[in-house]
Amino acid sequence: MKQEITVEGTAGSSIRRTATFMLIATAACVVLSACKRSEDVRFPPYDNTVEVEADWKSKPNFYQFKTLADVPANLKWENGMDLPEIGDPAAKKGGTFNYDMPNFPPTLRFIGPEGGNTFRGQHYDNIEMNHVVRHPNVDKWMPCLAKEWAISEDRKTVFFRLDPDATYSDGVKVTVEDYFMFFYVSMSKYAKDPYKADYFPREFAAVTKYDEHTMSITLTKVNPDPVLIATLMPLPRHFFREFAEDFPARYQWRKMPTTGAYDILPEDVKFGRSITLHRVENWWAKDKKYYKHRFNADRLVYRMVSTIDKSFELLRQGKLDLFSSSAQMLPPTFWYDRGDVPELLNGYLERYTFYNQYPRNPRCIYINTGKPLLDNLDVRVGVHHAFDMEKVIAVVLRDDALRMQSAFAGFGRFTSPNLHARTYDPAKAREAFAKAGFTKSGRDGVLMNAEGKRLSFVLSLGAMPLYTQAGLIWKEGALKAGLDLQIESLDFTQLFKKGGEKKHDLILAGFGAGPPYPEFWQFYHSDNAYEILPDGTRKPKTDTNNFTQTADPELDKLIIQCREAPNEDEVQRLSWIIEEEAQRRATEIPTWEVPLYRYFHTRWLRWPADGNCKYSREGQDSFVWWIDEDIKKETLEAMRVGRSFGETSRVFDQYQDKP
C-alpha cells in the first residue's frame, strides 16, 4: 500500500511478505474491465482432493500424520491468558465505519499476481487470525486460533492446540488439515507467488497432524523465537478445493471464508465504487478475552474517492468517519491550514494524535544501481548530498516529521546506532561528483564529464501534493550541487509498474516494516536483483523489492547468516553489519519518519481512554475504536441546527520517545 507507496504491512502474520510493495496495482477503468471479464468466464467444476492428498503422500517427511501418543510428554504449554485485556469495556457494538480508498483493488486474492495490493490489509492482514499473535501493548504471545502452544527441547518444533471453537465465517470448523492446505497452496507453482515458493521450503521442515486440533510446525533451523516463524494462518480445504493451474483467474473475486471478525459477500462488492466488510454473525471469538472489546462496528464501508480534497469534503459532510493520509500523518496543509473549518471548531469533527512504537516505514529515494552513472559509488554519494531533506521537513512537513537516519529505523536493539544520513551539502556533492569525473559546469549549471555527459537523472514520485512540493525543493537544491533532477509525477499504478520493472533512475518509495527484526533479503540479496539467462548474461529481475538492484556476493553471505542466526544477539550483530554496509553503498536516501499517527474524525468515532495500543501501526488497525450511534444522532442534529460542542483535540503521548 492512504496513498503513499507502502506495504505495510501486515499485522499478525510472521510469514507474510513483510515488504509487499503496497501500491495501487490497477487503475479503476482496468479493474472494471477485468471484473467484467471475470464475470463472463465460467470455470468448469474442479475438485483437487485426489491431487492434494497425493502430494501429501508423496512428501511424507514434510506432511506427517501421527497420534497424540507421539506428542512429547515434557512440553511446557503456554496459553498467554495472564496478559491484560485489549480495548475499552465501554465500547459499543454496532454502527457503520466509513472510510475511503483511492482506487479499486484489482482482486480479492491475497496470494499470487496483484495479491499484495493496498486493499489486502483491510480484508486480510488486519482481519485473518494466526495460531497466536503478539499482544499489542506488552509484546508477548497471546492466543488466536491456538489456545495453547509449546516449544520442543531443541527449539525447532512448535506445538499448537487449536481452539475447538475456531470456525470460519461459513460455519465450517478450523482443523489441522487446513494448515496442510496452507503449505500446499503457498508452495504450489499455481499460486505464482515467488516469495512464498522461496521462503517456505527454506524455513519449514515439516507440518504434523496428531488429531483434528493438535499439530506441530518443524523449522529447518533454530530461530531466536521459533513461535514467530511457526505461527501461521489456515487456508480452508473446502474453499481451495478448486485450486489448480487457473487459480489466479478462477479466484480473482472469490473471498475466502474468514476466521476473523469481518467478511465480504458478493453483494458487498460494488465494482468501481465501494467494498463493504460486515461483522460475522456469531463470530467464534467475540467473547474471548482479547477480542471481546474490539471489532465493534457492524460494517466497514470503503468508498472509492479519487482525491484527498474530495475525501476531506466527505468527512465534513459526515459521510466519512476518518480522514488520514499517506504517511499516517495528515499533511500540514490540512492539519494547520484547514483546521479552522466550522465542523472542527464546533466539535462535529475532532483531532486525534497518538504516538506509537512501531518500526518506521523505510521511506527512501531508492537509487537504481543498474543504470549508467548510478553504478558509480561517488555519483551516488554526490546524489545523497544533493537532496535537501532538511528543507522539505521544515517547509513542507513543518517540522512535524524527523529526518530518518537510515532505512532501518525503529527496530530497537536491531537498528545500528552508527547510522547517520548524509546531509544536504552542495560542496560535498560536487566533491563526490568530481571524483566520478564530473568537473565541468554547463550554462545551466549542470555538471558534465569529459565526454560531455550531463549529470541528469529522473526522480519518479507518486502523484500527491506533498511529494510534488518536495520534488520541487529537491530539484532546486540539486541544481546548486550541479545535478539536474527531472521530476516525474506518476499515478501509483504507473509508479508501481515502473519500479517493478526496474526502469527507474531514482524513485521515492515507502515499504512496510514490521517487528521484531529488519528484513534484508528481499531488499539487498542478489537473488532479487538479476536473473541469469541461459547464455550467462543477466537481466533485471522484475517484481521484487530490490529497487536498488544491489547484487554483492559478500553482502549476500551476511544476509543468509542473519537469516540463519540462532539467537537475537547474533541477529543484532549481523543486522548492524548489514545496515552499515548497505548505507556505505549509498543505494537509498532516507527521507523522513513519523513517530505518530494523527487524524481528523467524526465525533461519533470513539477511542479507548488510553487512545490506542502501543504497538499499533495505524489507528484503525487494532480495532479498539467504535461507532457510537447515540452520539452520531446527537451530532447530526446539532449540525442541522447549528449547535456547537466546542473544539476538541486529543493527544496521547504516553509512548512518545522522550529526549
Side-chain angles (χ1 to χ4, degrees):
M1 344 159 328
K2 58 195 190 192
Q3 295 336 120
E4 73 175 331
I5 314 169
T6 181
V7 156
E8 328 244 327
T10 49
S13 175
S14 63
I15 55 82
R16 62 199 180 277
R17 186 174 185 176
T18 56
T20 301
F21 192 46
M22 300 280 282
L23 291 173
I24 304 301
T26 303
C29 60
V30 177
V31 171
L32 290 175
S33 62
C35 297
K36 188 177 187 302
R37 287 197 300 272
S38 67
E39 291 172 345
D40 292 342
V41 174
R42 294 294 180 265
F43 295 96
Y46 186 76
D47 187 333
N48 61 20
T49 300
V50 173
E51 180 182 350
V52 169
E53 293 184 354
D55 182 77
W56 293 353
K57 290 178 182 178
S58 71
K59 301 170 183 174
N61 292 330
F62 189 87
Y63 297 105
Q64 300 186 9
F65 294 84
K66 299 183 179 181
T67 70
L68 288 176
D70 297 307
V71 178
N74 61 343
L75 293 175
K76 181 181 178 181
W77 291 91
E78 301 178 50
N79 62 24
M81 294 304 292
D82 58 337
L83 305 176
E85 291 184 352
I86 304 168
D88 193 327
K92 296 181 179 180
K93 303 292 184 182
T96 299
F97 173 72
N98 294 284
Y99 198 47
D100 60 349
M101 57 181 177
N103 288 79
F104 205 83
T107 181
L108 288 180
R109 280 186 290 97
F110 51 89
I111 298 174
E114 300 180 312
N117 62 81
T118 50
F119 195 70
R120 166 191 159 122
Q122 312 303 340
H123 75 87
Y124 174 73
D125 297 319
N126 300 333
I127 303 297
E128 295 298 333
M129 304 180 78
N130 286 8
H131 284 114
V132 296
V133 71
R134 301 297 284 186
H135 191 287
N137 280 323
V138 295
D139 197 28
K140 293 183 178 180
W141 293 112
M142 68 181 197
C144 271
L145 293 175
K147 64 176 184 177
E148 293 180 297
W149 58 97
I151 302 173
S152 65
E153 188 174 350
D154 65 2
R155 298 186 60 79
K156 291 179 67 175
T157 300
V158 182
F159 295 82
F160 296 101
R161 289 173 176 159
L162 301 182
D163 191 323
D165 296 334
T167 308
Y168 295 105
S169 53
D170 60 0
V172 177
K173 289 286 188 178
V174 177
T175 67
V176 169
E177 289 193 10
D178 293 331
Y179 288 90
F180 279 43
M181 197 67 180
F182 176 84
F183 281 103
Y184 175 80
V185 170
S186 298
M187 294 190 292
S188 171
K189 63 182 180 180
Y190 301 152
K192 294 180 171 58
D193 193 321
Y195 176 81
K196 288 185 173 64
D198 166 81
Y199 182 89
F200 279 75
R202 180 168 37 77
E203 295 292 335
F204 299 100
V207 53
T208 303
K209 174 183 177 180
Y210 300 94
D211 67 9
E212 290 300 312
H213 295 98
T214 309
M215 65 177 296
S216 67
I217 303 289
T218 301
L219 310 178
T220 57
K221 59 185 181 295
V222 175
N223 285 270
D225 184 352
V227 178
L228 177 67
I229 307 299
T231 180
L232 305 172
M233 60 163 287
L235 295 187
R237 282 197 68 183
H238 63 287
F239 177 75
F240 284 95
R241 197 172 300 278
E242 295 182 62
F243 176 82
E245 188 173 5
D246 60 4
F247 164 69
R250 183 184 288 260
Y251 282 81
Q252 187 79 353
W253 293 104
R254 294 190 187 183
K255 172 64 174 65
M256 183 182 78
T258 180
T259 55
Y262 293 102
D263 199 9
I264 300 174
L265 296 177
E267 58 266 30
D268 293 330
V269 180
K270 310 296 183 185
F271 288 109
R273 291 183 292 158
S274 68
I275 297 179
T276 297
L277 279 69
H278 66 272
R279 191 142 53 88
V280 175
E281 186 176 359
N282 296 319
W283 178 42
W284 72 273
K286 66 184 178 68
D287 296 320
K288 302 289 183 180
K289 177 178 179 179
Y290 300 119
Y291 305 98
K292 61 184 178 180
H293 302 315
R294 302 165 65 197
F295 305 97
N296 300 304
D298 283 341
R299 290 168 299 280
L300 315 175
V301 180
Y302 295 90
R303 301 175 53 180
M304 196 171 113
V305 184
S306 57
T307 68
I308 191 171
D309 289 289
K310 186 174 180 180
S311 293
F312 185 61
E313 292 307 312
L314 291 172
L315 177 84
R316 295 181 64 183
Q317 298 168 28
K319 295 179 180 178
L320 293 181
D321 291 310
L322 187 72
F323 181 65
S324 62
S325 76
S326 61
Q328 304 167 334
M329 180 184 75
L330 282 179
T333 52
F334 285 91
W335 190 255
Y336 297 112
D337 301 340
R338 300 200 194 181
D340 59 354
V341 296
E343 292 82 4
L344 279 163
L345 297 177
N346 290 323
Y348 312 145
L349 301 178
E350 299 180 352
R351 296 174 183 264
Y352 169 92
T353 301
F354 185 87
Y355 286 84
N356 63 342
Q357 292 288 327
Y358 206 86
R360 306 307 178 192
N361 292 335
R363 189 180 299 103
C364 301
I365 306 292
Y366 291 92
I367 301 174
N368 189 346
T369 63
K371 288 297 187 77
L373 302 184
L374 293 174
D375 58 353
N376 185 298
L377 176 60
D378 291 320
V379 170
R380 297 197 300 271
V381 170
V383 171
H384 274 243
H385 287 300
F387 270 79
D388 195 346
M389 293 296 169
E390 292 76 11
K391 186 173 182 179
V392 168
I393 292 171
V395 175
V396 180
L397 300 174
R398 303 193 190 181
D399 286 323
D400 282 341
L402 306 172
R403 178 70 197 272
M404 182 175 277
Q405 295 301 312
S406 78
F408 315 100
F411 286 95
R413 62 179 289 199
F414 305 107
T415 296
S416 170
N418 304 317
L419 301 174
H420 301 286
R422 296 174 177 89
T423 59
Y424 176 64
D425 190 326
K428 287 185 178 180
R430 287 178 177 272
E431 180 182 340
F433 292 145
K435 291 180 181 179
F438 288 87
T439 57
K440 300 178 181 179
S441 183
R443 291 183 179 180
D444 57 359
V446 178
L447 291 171
M448 297 182 294
N449 61 16
E451 290 75 36
K453 177 70 175 178
R454 298 174 77 249
L455 195 61
S456 179
F457 304 111
V458 175
L459 171 61
S460 302
L461 306 170
M464 288 182 58
L466 185 151
Y467 294 158
T468 300
Q469 296 168 31
L472 293 175
I473 290 175
W474 289 329
K475 180 179 179 67
E476 180 184 29
L479 187 57
K480 295 177 182 178
L483 171 63
D484 174 40
L485 280 183
Q486 297 294 319
I487 306 300
E488 178 183 53
S489 183
L490 303 173
D491 68 49
F492 288 100
T493 301
Q494 294 173 304
L495 196 69
F496 169 70
K497 180 177 175 62
K498 187 165 189 175
E501 293 178 351
K502 313 297 173 65
K503 292 181 178 179
H504 60 283
D505 292 341
L506 316 174
I507 188 170
L508 174 61
F511 291 92
Y517 315 123
E519 169 63 31
F520 302 116
W521 181 80
Q522 57 187 307
F523 296 117
Y524 299 107
H525 198 282
S526 57
D527 282 356
N528 297 310
Y530 294 98
E531 291 183 68
I532 306 302
L533 301 178
D535 63 1
T537 61
R538 66 181 191 177
K539 70 173 185 177
K541 190 170 186 178
T542 59
D543 299 322
T544 76
N545 293 327
N546 190 339
F547 272 27
T548 64
Q549 293 289 85
T550 297
D552 185 312
E554 294 304 314
L555 193 59
D556 289 349
K557 292 177 184 177
L558 291 168
I559 291 170
I560 298 303
Q561 289 174 24
C562 190
R563 270 189 161 191
E564 298 177 353
N567 55 66
E568 291 195 337
D569 287 342
E570 187 67 0
V571 172
Q572 175 183 307
R573 185 185 72 82
L574 290 165
S575 293
W576 287 19
I577 294 173
I578 294 169
E579 291 163 6
E580 291 165 20
E581 279 295 303
Q583 195 161 56
R584 183 185 66 79
R585 285 165 170 76
T587 53
E588 65 271 313
I589 308 171
T591 60
W592 59 83
E593 61 177 286
V594 183
L596 53 84
Y597 44 79
R598 69 185 186 193
Y599 310 122
F600 294 152
H601 65 81
T602 55
R603 181 171 175 260
W604 52 84
L605 176 62
R606 311 306 295 170
W607 307 91
D610 58 356
N612 217 306
C613 298
K614 179 178 181 179
Y615 300 110
S616 55
R617 185 182 64 226
E618 297 185 22
Q620 61 270 41
D621 291 355
S622 60
F623 288 93
V624 293
W625 46 269
W626 67 95
I627 299 293
D628 192 311
E629 291 287 1
D630 293 331
I631 293 179
K632 182 174 184 177
K633 181 178 180 180
E634 176 189 47
T635 306
L636 292 176
E637 175 62 18
M639 292 171 68
R640 188 182 68 83
V641 301
R643 179 164 62 93
S644 175
F645 299 103
E647 192 171 359
T648 298
S649 180
R650 295 185 176 88
V651 178
F652 301 91
D653 60 1
Q654 65 268 34
Y655 303 123
Q656 182 180 11
D657 289 326
K658 307 301 180 183

